[in-house]
Amino acid sequence: MSKQTYRVCFCFRRRFKLAVAEVPDEIKALFDLYSENGIMTADHIHRFLIEVQKQEKATFEEAQSIVESLKHLSLFHRKGLHLEAFFKYLFGDTNPPLDLKLGVHHDMTAPLSHYFIYTGHNSYLTGNQLSSDCSDVPIINALKKGVRVIELDIWPNSDNDDVEVLHGRTLTTPVQLIKCLRSINEHAFTASEFPVVITLEDHLTPDLQAKVAQMVTQTFGDILFTPGSECLKEFPSPESLKRRIIISTKPPKEYLEAKIKDKESDSKGNAASDEEAWGKEIPILKGHILADDKNESDKDDDDAEEDLDEGDHKLQHDIAPEYKRLIAIHAGKPKGGLDECLKVDPDKVRRLSLSEQQLEKAAETHGKEIVRFTQRNILRVYPKGTRVNSSNYNPLIGWMHGAQMVAFNMQGYGRSLWSMQGMFRANGGCGFVKPSFLLKSGPHGEVFDTKAKLPVQKTLKVKIYMGEGWFYDFQHTHFDAYSPPDFYVRSNPSLAFHRNSRVLVMAKALLRSVVGIAGVPADTVMKKTRTLEDSWIPFWNEEFEFPLTVPELALLRIEVHEYDMSERDDFGGQTCLPVWELREGIRAVPLHDRKGERYKCVKLLVRLEFV
């Protein structure tokens, strides 16, 4: 056995014995209650699953399979599980907070407008909005994560004989449209079999539109959905569009001159910085918008993505007919201001696009009208133009008003993107989530009112027992050069052993956990645990209560950070989970890195309960 293998085995035994020695008292008490003579049989486990884990449909066979799965442990007993094995089950991958067996369980036969859809913004960019590379790689990555709406800005090449994808009038380097289309065709249904929408920002001449039509038709063939008429009377359902590609665009027009300062184009290929992305809590701004970035301008920037008035002459001619026939989801902004934009036409459906700032302003005066509009039509929300670092905004303001396409920069990271990832962990991760409460109308046309003071529907109780896995997923000097991480339980420094020089030093780092809800303003809150010192296996044993007025939009947020008194915070993991799909009981909650990738080992042991 090599020294490295021996060390790993030794550390595993030492860590596991330490964890068992400090099993939370509540877990020990439950084991005593559901065991006999120190052994938990399959019968005991079955009862535990039903009564504590609230798995009312759990079968004896499931309980027996838990016993069988732990046979490889030396702690296994022929009749059942010792405390150690029971604890291993609770902290294992087979005990997640979301029921992975549920898969897609929402009704998928309603029109597309009845669903939140996992939507990307400028899906081809590798980094910032000004000078990063354009590539099909971020498109592939987004599709593999379940994103269902891909945005492509299409422009003529320098010779005006081919079509490129790039962020117009910036320093971004282009990628060929055909390469992006082929990658979409290859990877569209890797993560989900439900439809992929391609939104085209079109800046082409009619002859190049015809060329695009040929590329799209040849690339996608029979999987391309073409409605055969100018405008649909009602959108088809995700179920009827399985493994289909849908084209959505607005009339072609040139971008406005970009308002870009020279100093903003310094960096290439980088998304939001660590400090902007996760080091600072999201501030609450007017209209309940939450922003990842700081010092953003509040004024409307007349963004270039604003839709063209339907009355504009460019809509009426100079569009290649073969290109126009491809458009299944028509986009446009009628003349006459917001009242006209939000009118619901009983004879046709369409897509309307608003910037995050435009939506914020519209929500102040037309909140109910927006909800009513989205019950039939599609509303797309996109980041304002000043988000040059590819940061994002709070998606909840869009979701609160029924916006189906809340478009995000997927190449970055930050709390807003974590919320987006949390929302689309629901419904089997298929990229479509149905918010049924937003689709209801009263006898007099009443719809969900985002400004109404609502009663508490239910209260979520979250008890965080402990965490583990940092020892394996992080370098051992990641949090502190001389000692294990100090978890946020108490603040006074302690003595720690220096692994390399074998001297005693004062530990200075403090690692904290924050738990809370992202949701409607009345439900949004974050709370902190206490501080623990010098431990790779922190034990918090703290409980939090979250009253929820709109649990259908609530996301459970958990973050772990190390606060260093002399330096900046270090990141220890995060997760965001849809509250309405949480499984009650004691669950092992896996944490993710800043970009949303799951760590191999880092988990929290948490008890979830609705009252």
Side-chain angles (χ1 to χ4, degrees):
M1 181 184 297
S2 68
K3 289 184 179 180
Q4 184 176 2
T5 303
Y6 175 80
R7 184 176 181 275
V8 170
C9 292
F10 173 78
C11 289
F12 174 80
R13 289 196 299 269
R14 182 176 179 275
R15 180 205 61 80
F16 193 66
K17 287 180 180 178
L18 175 64
V20 169
E22 299 189 35
V23 172
D25 290 340
E26 187 174 320
I27 304 298
K28 291 179 181 177
L30 283 170
F31 180 81
D32 291 340
L33 183 63
Y34 288 91
S35 65
E36 189 174 349
N37 298 322
I39 300 297
M40 182 181 274
T41 65
D43 284 321
H44 294 133
I45 294 173
H46 186 215
R47 191 159 60 91
F48 172 81
L49 293 176
I50 294 172
E51 296 176 4
V52 177
Q53 305 293 75
K54 308 299 182 183
Q55 296 174 218
E56 297 177 355
K57 296 181 180 180
T59 64
F60 177 80
E61 287 71 25
E62 288 177 282
Q64 186 64 45
S65 69
I66 292 172
V67 175
E68 293 292 325
S69 68
L70 295 167
K71 276 185 175 180
H72 63 285
L73 293 178
S74 60
L75 304 173
F76 174 75
H77 187 280
R78 280 179 294 180
K79 294 183 180 180
L81 306 179
H82 287 294
L83 172 61
E84 292 87 348
F86 173 64
F87 190 55
K88 182 72 173 176
Y89 150 68
L90 288 179
F91 234 142
D93 291 335
T94 59
N95 187 36
L98 303 180
D99 189 354
L100 304 181
K101 295 178 183 178
L102 273 180
V104 178
H105 56 280
H106 293 188
D107 172 24
M108 302 300 285
T109 62
L112 284 175
S113 56
H114 288 201
Y115 302 85
F116 296 151
I117 309 173
Y118 205 175
T119 302
H121 173 256
N122 291 349
S123 305
Y124 48 87
L125 289 178
T126 57
N128 69 61
Q129 303 287 309
L130 300 178
S131 58
S132 65
D133 292 333
C134 301
S135 169
D136 64 328
V137 173
I139 296 172
I140 295 169
N141 291 338
L143 291 169
K144 287 181 176 179
K145 292 176 181 176
V147 173
R148 298 290 87 193
V149 181
I150 299 296
E151 182 188 29
L152 303 177
D153 286 39
I154 49 178
W155 293 79
N157 68 353
S158 57
D159 295 327
N160 289 311
D161 61 357
D162 202 358
V163 181
E164 295 177 333
V165 174
L166 76 156
H167 199 198
R169 305 192 188 282
T170 68
L171 300 177
T172 56
T173 56
V175 60
Q176 284 189 316
L177 172 62
I178 189 62
K179 187 174 183 180
C180 295
L181 295 177
R182 287 169 179 167
S183 292
I184 293 172
N185 187 51
E186 182 178 353
H187 299 280
F189 308 110
T190 301
S192 170
E193 62 181 346
F194 289 98
V196 168
V197 179
I198 303 175
T199 59
L200 298 175
E201 293 290 342
D202 174 8
H203 315 282
L204 303 177
T205 56
D207 58 325
L208 287 179
Q209 289 176 358
K211 187 165 187 173
V212 169
Q214 185 179 25
M215 287 184 198
V216 169
T217 304
Q218 290 179 351
T219 302
F220 298 118
D222 292 340
I223 69 170
L224 182 67
F225 173 75
T226 50
S229 62
E230 284 208 3
C231 286
L232 294 165
K233 187 170 184 178
E234 184 178 65
F235 289 118
S237 70
E239 181 68 29
S240 69
L241 293 170
K242 276 184 177 178
R243 305 190 73 84
R244 303 295 294 273
I245 300 292
I246 306 167
I247 303 297
S248 176
T249 189
K250 62 192 178 192
K253 74 185 192 72
E254 290 294 318
Y255 264 21
L256 301 173
E257 289 291 337
K259 300 173 184 178
I260 301 169
K261 297 179 182 178
D262 291 339
K263 65 179 182 179
E264 292 175 332
S265 60
D266 291 337
S267 59
K268 181 174 181 179
N270 296 319
S273 68
D274 283 3
E275 180 65 25
E276 290 171 323
W278 59 262
K280 184 177 180 181
E281 182 53 84
I282 308 168
I284 299 179
L285 304 179
K286 65 178 182 178
H288 315 309
I289 276 201
L290 306 185
D292 270 345
D293 51 308
K294 50 189 176 182
N295 300 324
E296 289 281 12
S297 169
D298 285 334
K299 65 182 180 179
D300 219 333
D301 57 357
D302 193 23
D303 198 291
E305 292 187 56
E306 190 171 342
D307 285 303
L308 188 68
D309 286 348
E310 284 188 357
D312 194 289
H313 68 281
K314 290 184 180 180
L315 176 61
Q316 307 302 328
H317 53 69
D318 291 341
I319 299 177
E322 58 267 56
Y323 177 80
K324 192 174 182 179
R325 282 194 293 270
L326 298 179
I327 303 172
I329 300 176
H330 288 257
K333 185 177 290 183
K335 284 185 175 180
L338 200 55
D339 289 328
E340 288 297 318
C341 285
L342 296 174
K343 276 189 177 179
V344 178
D345 190 329
D347 296 319
K348 65 178 181 179
V349 289
R350 57 190 169 92
R351 190 198 89 198
L352 172 69
S353 287
L354 298 174
S355 73
E356 56 175 286
Q357 291 169 308
Q358 291 168 341
L359 175 63
E360 180 185 9
K361 291 180 180 179
E364 288 297 308
T365 56
H366 292 71
K368 293 180 184 178
E369 288 80 3
I370 298 172
V371 174
R372 207 168 278 117
F373 176 84
T374 58
Q375 289 181 342
R376 261 185 62 77
N377 301 281
I378 289 176
L379 174 61
R380 173 179 168 266
V381 185
Y382 56 88
K384 58 186 177 182
T386 53
R387 293 189 179 278
V388 296
N389 61 357
S390 293
S391 63
N392 289 301
Y393 51 99
N394 177 20
L396 266 302
I397 192 169
W399 291 334
M400 284 164 51
H401 293 87
Q404 299 89 345
M405 294 183 179
V406 177
F408 261 37
N409 295 306
M410 298 296 174
Q411 72 274 31
Y413 47 84
R415 290 185 172 95
S416 293
L417 186 56
W418 301 342
S419 295
M420 177 70 66
Q421 292 164 346
M423 169 64 74
F424 289 102
R425 289 190 176 107
N427 199 25
C430 74
F432 289 80
V433 173
K434 188 178 183 184
S436 298
F437 76 101
L438 285 168
L439 304 169
K440 297 175 182 176
S441 297
H444 303 291
E446 305 94 333
V447 295
F448 178 73
D449 185 356
T450 61
K451 294 184 178 180
K453 188 174 181 179
L454 302 172
V456 172
Q457 297 294 320
K458 60 175 65 176
T459 297
L460 173 64
K461 294 173 69 174
V462 180
K463 185 164 188 176
I464 300 185
Y465 294 112
M466 58 181 291
E468 71 154 1
W470 288 277
F471 186 86
Y472 301 100
D473 286 337
F474 287 71
Q475 292 184 1
H476 297 172
T477 56
H478 177 85
F479 295 114
D480 194 287
Y482 307 112
S483 66
D486 296 324
F487 290 84
Y488 190 71
V489 175
R490 55 183 187 276
S491 59
N492 52 317
S494 66
L495 292 175
F497 190 71
H498 191 313
R499 300 185 197 284
N500 298 319
S501 61
R502 297 181 179 274
V503 297
L504 293 176
V505 296
M506 293 296 288
K508 296 181 180 179
L510 303 168
L511 197 129
R512 63 181 63 177
S513 292
V514 287
V515 188
I517 296 293
V520 298
D523 297 345
T524 300
V525 65
M526 291 300 288
K527 301 179 180 180
K528 296 179 181 178
T529 62
R530 301 186 305 268
T531 307
L532 259 176
E533 299 175 14
D534 287 348
S535 175
W536 289 102
I537 306 173
F539 294 84
W540 287 287
N541 266 333
E542 287 192 64
E543 186 171 82
F544 304 90
E545 290 192 6
F546 302 104
L548 302 173
T549 61
V550 187
E552 300 92 338
L553 279 183
L555 300 165
L556 174 63
R557 286 179 51 195
I558 301 177
E559 296 179 20
V560 179
H561 296 277
E562 188 204 37
Y563 172 71
D564 193 305
M565 291 180 288
S566 61
E567 300 177 5
R568 70 169 179 83
D569 287 6
D570 281 319
F571 179 79
Q574 60 82 22
T575 194
C576 190
L577 300 167
V579 165
W580 62 95
E581 291 203 0
L582 290 175
R583 297 202 296 172
E584 291 188 87
I586 300 166
R587 304 296 175 185
V589 177
L591 296 188
H592 302 76
D593 66 16
R594 288 170 292 183
K595 294 188 177 181
E597 299 294 332
R598 178 177 168 176
Y599 291 120
K600 292 181 180 178
C601 300
V602 178
K603 297 190 192 80
L604 300 179
L605 189 65
V606 175
R607 184 163 189 168
L608 305 166
E609 183 181 3
F610 290 107
V611 293

